[in-house]
Amino acid sequence: MTTATSAPHIVIVEDNVEANNLMRDWLKLKFNVTCFLDAESTLRILPPSADKIVFVIDYSMPGDNGIVLKNKLVPLFPNAKFLLVSGLFEEKLTEQAKAAGFDALLPKPFSMPTITQKIEEILGFKQKENLVDMVMRKSARLGVFAY
């Protein structure tokens, strides 16, 4: 398990307190996590950094929406990665988020293992192969059928 000091930094910007707390409590098991409830406090409190940070940003918040916030964060965090979460994904928002350069999109509701997987993908962590997939792949290579 990764230690808190060497763990990647995840910044959650989510106005729903319960959702914010749930993500924080889950993700802090593996990552260094900082949480904000709105775009304004994120910009005011979080010091600029060249570190690799993953921002998990809700689209619909009071004040700036997630896309506007991302555009303001990019110059302050040049090596950051961005994950947009929303319960409102439709074609227009998906196109806007992709055009804004988000590294990944995650529709709400989602499971905590799913958000962890998305963050690990963004960070470039190699995914461990599912045991069943590994057995099937090896069996196929050997010409044996596994069920």
Side-chain angles (χ1 to χ4, degrees), residues 21-77:
N21 290 340
L22 179 63
M23 285 189 284
R24 179 203 62 216
D25 291 346
W26 174 263
L27 294 173
K28 75 179 183 180
L29 297 172
K30 193 167 192 171
F31 304 106
N32 179 14
V33 180
T34 304
C35 297
F36 296 96
L37 295 171
D38 58 42
E40 180 186 339
S41 61
T42 306
L43 292 165
R44 184 172 29 86
I45 297 170
L46 196 63
S49 173
D51 293 343
K52 191 170 191 178
I53 297 172
V54 175
F55 284 90
V56 177
I57 304 174
D58 183 29
Y59 172 74
S60 183
M61 298 182 289
D64 290 339
N65 68 42
I67 293 174
V68 172
L69 175 58
K70 183 215 179 271
N71 291 333
K72 291 180 178 180
L73 290 170
V74 168
L76 303 171
F77 301 90

Side-chain angles (χ1 to χ4, degrees), residues 15-135:
D15 64 314
N16 179 294
V17 175
E18 292 82 14
N20 195 312
N21 290 340
L22 179 63
M23 285 189 284
R24 179 203 62 216
D25 291 346
W26 174 263
L27 294 173
K28 75 179 183 180
L29 297 172
K30 193 167 192 171
F31 304 106
N32 179 14
V33 180
T34 304
C35 297
F36 296 96
L37 295 171
D38 58 42
E40 180 186 339
S41 61
T42 306
L43 292 165
R44 184 172 29 86
I45 297 170
L46 196 63
S49 173
D51 293 343
K52 191 170 191 178
I53 297 172
V54 175
F55 284 90
V56 177
I57 304 174
D58 183 29
Y59 172 74
S60 183
M61 298 182 289
D64 290 339
N65 68 42
I67 293 174
V68 172
L69 175 58
K70 183 215 179 271
N71 291 333
K72 291 180 178 180
L73 290 170
V74 168
L76 303 171
F77 301 90
N79 296 313
K81 301 291 186 177
F82 296 90
L83 169 61
L84 184 67
V85 297
S86 179
L88 307 171
F89 279 117
E90 80 284 330
E91 188 174 339
K92 182 179 178 186
L93 177 56
T94 300
E95 289 174 10
Q96 290 174 337
K98 288 181 180 180
F102 276 88
D103 297 286
L105 311 176
L106 185 59
K108 291 179 181 178
F110 51 81
S111 68
M112 292 302 101
T114 299
I115 193 168
T116 301
Q117 180 181 354
K118 280 287 187 192
I119 290 169
E120 288 176 344
E121 288 171 5
I122 290 170
L123 289 169
F125 291 1
K126 184 175 177 160
Q127 297 296 311
K128 291 183 179 176
E129 188 173 17
N130 176 308
L131 181 59
V132 173
D133 292 340
M134 182 179 72
V135 169

